[in-house]
Amino acid sequence: MSIHWYPGHMHKAQKEIKELLPQVDLLIEVLDARIPYSSENPAIAAIRGDTPCIKVLSKSDLADPDVTAMWQAHLEQERGVKTFTTTTEQPQKMKQIIDLCRKMLPEKDASIKTINTMICGIPNVGKSTLINILAERIIAKTGNEPAVTKAQQRINLGSGIILFDTPGILWPKVENPQSSYRLATTGAIKDTAMEYDDVGFFAADYLIKAYPDLLKERYKLEHIPDTEIEFLEMAAAQRGALRAGGRVNLHKICEVLVNEFRSGKLGRISLETPEMIVKEEAEMAAAEAKKAEEKALRKERFKTGSLTRDKKAQKEHRIERVQRRSKEKQARKK
């Protein structure tokens, strides 16, 4: 699935982040704990350089705790990175981020110099809620849909810490096709930019393999089938998501499944693990290498003229004919 949603303010925000970053002492990147890899903007990673970073895994109460622990260990292997799990139900814990900022910058903390921090993240990961709690007042507009914040803000958190807020930004092209589905499933893109049926089938396929017991309990099923279509049909019958004549309303049951995942009604679920991502990145690298090889081969074929011997011979014959005519013309002039 391709994401076709990249509002103009996101392009502007990415440019502003790049310009502001040299003034920033520490970066706070808010990730969705259910999809830490897919919710990490590769553009930020590319321009961050050696700037210390706190990766805040938000909505951790919706994610599988065991998988979240794996992600924390994985992310902290990178130099200068610390992780912090939080939820909107833990405002006091969120405030500990200020102490963590100071611990990561001891030379600044020991002086009277201001610590400049910048917070960033993709849409709908809880960035605005975190800002309001850290500032202890309503600074950033919040909402249950992506792309609420549209302009950069400078916020004084007190205690010598300045926070630059930026709009939630996606990136023009999501390279990993699985990440596109995960972003859509968690609600990181507007519902108008996705198809519920498509996303619902992805979610069903993953959940029947990774969390069958949670589905069985939620939809009161005696067993979980092997395919997503069978599961969706069974779940639709349980929920009354049927059309006239008893036919399954796939759009409706897909919408129910996706919304119940987002709200946490299915249970604590993570859509990706570090092990899965290592495998997917290897597959993408192999596909990219194959694509580059095919492109190089096409260029070589273009230079030589053609694949077939017949067409190559025809080309050589045309060259010989032109050369012969040129010689005849020169001979006549003499």
Side-chain angles (χ1 to χ4, degrees), residues 29 31 35-43 45 55 75 78 122 171:
E29 184 174 15
L31 308 176
I35 52 169
Y37 169 81
S38 296
S39 61
E40 183 179 40
N41 191 331
K55 293 186 183 289
L75 293 169
E78 186 178 354
I122 69 169
W171 47 106

Side-chain angles (χ1 to χ4, degrees), residues 201-258:
F201 268 77
F202 165 81
D205 178 60
Y206 175 78
L207 294 173
I208 62 179
K209 295 171 184 174
Y211 296 94
D213 292 339
L214 293 182
L215 291 183
K216 188 188 296 185
E217 181 180 353
R218 180 64 186 173
Y219 295 101
K220 305 294 187 283
L221 302 176
E222 293 183 2
H223 73 282
I224 296 297
D226 295 329
T227 66
E228 65 270 37
I229 184 63
E230 290 177 290
F231 164 72
L232 290 169
E233 288 174 345
M234 293 170 66
Q238 284 288 344
R239 292 301 179 86
L242 304 172
R243 299 182 185 275
R247 292 180 297 118
V248 173
N249 186 334
L250 282 175
H251 177 84
K252 182 63 179 176
I253 192 58
C254 284
E255 189 175 0
V256 168
L257 178 66
V258 171

Side-chain angles (χ1 to χ4, degrees), residues 42-307:
I44 298 298
I47 64 177
R48 181 173 71 86
D50 295 328
T51 305
C53 180
I54 299 174
K55 293 186 183 289
V56 178
L57 301 180
S58 70
K59 305 186 181 183
S60 59
D61 55 328
L62 301 177
D64 185 326
D66 293 334
V67 176
T68 298
M70 292 180 197
W71 273 112
Q72 287 190 267
H74 178 78
L75 293 169
E76 290 190 1
Q77 289 177 9
E78 186 178 354
R79 183 171 171 271
V81 171
K82 293 292 182 183
T83 60
F84 188 91
T85 61
T86 188
T87 76
T88 56
E89 305 300 320
Q90 299 174 307
Q92 290 305 314
K93 184 180 179 182
M94 284 186 180
K95 292 179 182 179
Q96 294 174 17
I97 291 176
I98 292 178
D99 294 331
L100 184 55
C101 289
R102 294 190 172 283
K103 287 179 182 177
M104 290 185 69
L105 298 166
E107 69 286 352
K108 286 268 186 176
D109 188 35
S111 68
I112 59 172
K113 293 181 179 178
T114 299
I115 297 176
N116 290 319
T117 65
M118 181 168 66
I119 189 166
C120 61
I122 69 169
N124 205 27
V125 289
K127 182 167 65 68
S128 295
T129 300
L130 175 59
I131 290 170
N132 291 338
I133 289 172
L134 293 179
E136 297 185 328
R137 60 191 186 279
I138 303 300
I139 294 288
K141 184 179 177 182
T142 61
N144 289 323
E145 64 174 36
V148 172
T149 304
K150 299 223 167 113
Q152 193 177 99
Q153 301 181 81
R154 183 180 185 278
I155 304 158
N156 189 340
L157 298 182
S159 302
I161 296 180
I162 298 296
L163 180 69
F164 293 96
D165 178 26
T166 58
I169 54 173
L170 282 172
W171 47 106
K173 183 181 180 183
V174 179
E175 298 293 341
N176 187 337
Q178 300 301 314
S179 289
S180 298
Y181 281 108
R182 292 169 189 146
L183 289 164
T185 303
T186 57
I189 62 172
K190 283 184 178 291
D191 290 346
T192 52
M194 58 170 255
E195 294 290 339
Y196 263 113
D197 295 20
D198 198 17
V199 177
F201 268 77
F202 165 81
D205 178 60
Y206 175 78
L207 294 173
I208 62 179
K209 295 171 184 174
Y211 296 94
D213 292 339
L214 293 182
L215 291 183
K216 188 188 296 185
E217 181 180 353
R218 180 64 186 173
Y219 295 101
K220 305 294 187 283
L221 302 176
E222 293 183 2
H223 73 282
I224 296 297
D226 295 329
T227 66
E228 65 270 37
I229 184 63
E230 290 177 290
F231 164 72
L232 290 169
E233 288 174 345
M234 293 170 66
Q238 284 288 344
R239 292 301 179 86
L242 304 172
R243 299 182 185 275
R247 292 180 297 118
V248 173
N249 186 334
L250 282 175
H251 177 84
K252 182 63 179 176
I253 192 58
C254 284
E255 189 175 0
V256 168
L257 178 66
V258 171
N259 287 331
E260 291 195 342
F261 163 79
R262 291 176 181 175
S263 66
K265 290 179 180 178
L266 297 181
R268 299 183 68 175
I269 294 171
S270 294
L271 294 182
E272 59 191 20
T273 66
E275 185 180 2
M276 287 168 57
I277 297 308
V278 169
K279 181 180 177 183
E280 289 172 11
E281 286 187 330
E283 290 172 349
M284 286 191 297
E288 191 62 31
K290 184 179 179 181
K291 186 177 177 181
E293 184 180 344
E294 291 174 347
K295 183 178 180 181
L297 186 59
R298 283 196 302 271
K299 284 181 94 172
E300 185 61 30
R301 287 170 179 169
F302 179 78
K303 288 178 182 178
T304 57
S306 178
L307 291 175

